[in-house]
Amino acid sequence: MDSLPLLSTLAGAAIGIVATLIADRNRWKREDAKEALRLRLDIYTQYTTAVKVLGETLRALAEREHPSVDERALALREAFRESGIAIASERMWLIAPQPVVKASNGVFHCLRRICDGYIDGTAVSSPEDHARWEARGEAAAKMRKLMREDLGVSPLTERHSA
């Protein structure tokens, strides 16, 4: 009995199975990479939104009249705590690559200094306040640049407004 046709059939079947497994694995890798990219995009969007909203909230609270210095401080601390930036920051620490984490942490600390400055009595639009906001703007621009690089998006040609 000639076993060559049987061996050829078995070899062809084995090659087909292996090729299918390799194709499925490659498809899974592509889908996994797309999902990881979507997750980072969501985290980056959540973080940059929290940064923007918190900054606007801090400035609005600092401009508002408060019955006392203690109530102003309480309102600013509460706004910082309730902004969601701490949760967004923790998500960043878990998912983002090291350069993005470092840059986002820099933005977080800039906002903390702005908040603490207002608590200590820094006036909105004072030179000291302006310097803190400028530092936050530079840190945020660096963070966004690194986020865009991580997402594979080309760089912006102009700076986002502060």
Side-chain angles (χ1 to χ4, degrees), residues 5-6 17 28 30-32 37 41-42 54-55 68 77 83-84 114 124 130 132 140 145 150 159:
L6 178 60
I17 290 170
W28 174 80
R30 282 192 307 274
E31 289 173 10
D32 192 46
L37 188 67
L41 176 61
D42 289 345
L54 176 57
S68 70
R77 285 188 185 104
S83 70
I114 288 167
V124 174
H130 180 72
R132 287 186 183 124
K145 178 182 179 288
D150 181 46
R159 182 175 168 200

Side-chain angles (χ1 to χ4, degrees), residues 59 110-123 126-138:
R59 184 170 280 169
C110 284
L111 285 166
R112 172 76 9 213
R113 283 189 290 278
I114 288 167
C115 183
D116 291 344
Y118 290 151
I119 288 169
D120 293 339
T122 300
S126 68
E128 188 177 6
D129 183 49
H130 180 72
R132 287 186 183 124
W133 280 102
E134 187 62 31
R136 194 226 44 107
E138 290 171 8

Side-chain angles (χ1 to χ4, degrees), residues 36-145:
L37 188 67
R38 275 191 290 270
L39 177 61
R40 288 194 316 277
L41 176 61
D42 289 345
I43 289 168
Y44 295 170
T45 302
Q46 179 189 18
Y47 194 81
T48 55
T49 301
V51 163
K52 184 155 186 74
V53 171
L54 176 57
E56 291 170 357
T57 302
L58 292 175
R59 184 170 280 169
L61 285 171
E63 289 175 329
R64 188 177 303 157
E65 289 293 323
H66 296 276
S68 70
V69 172
D70 289 340
E71 287 188 29
R72 173 186 165 129
L74 180 65
L76 288 161
R77 285 188 185 104
E78 191 172 303
F80 204 95
R81 187 175 44 255
E82 291 179 0
S83 70
I85 197 165
I87 292 169
S89 180
E90 287 302 317
R91 291 185 78 204
M92 190 76 72
W93 278 86
L94 291 172
I95 300 298
Q98 173 74 28
V100 176
V101 170
K102 187 175 179 182
S104 67
N105 196 44
V107 174
F108 180 93
H109 288 291
C110 284
L111 285 166
R112 172 76 9 213
R113 283 189 290 278
I114 288 167
C115 183
D116 291 344
Y118 290 151
I119 288 169
D120 293 339
T122 300
V124 174
S125 298
S126 68
E128 188 177 6
D129 183 49
H130 180 72
R132 287 186 183 124
W133 280 102
E134 187 62 31
R136 194 226 44 107
E138 290 171 8
K142 178 181 176 183
M143 177 188 70
R144 285 188 192 100
K145 178 182 179 288

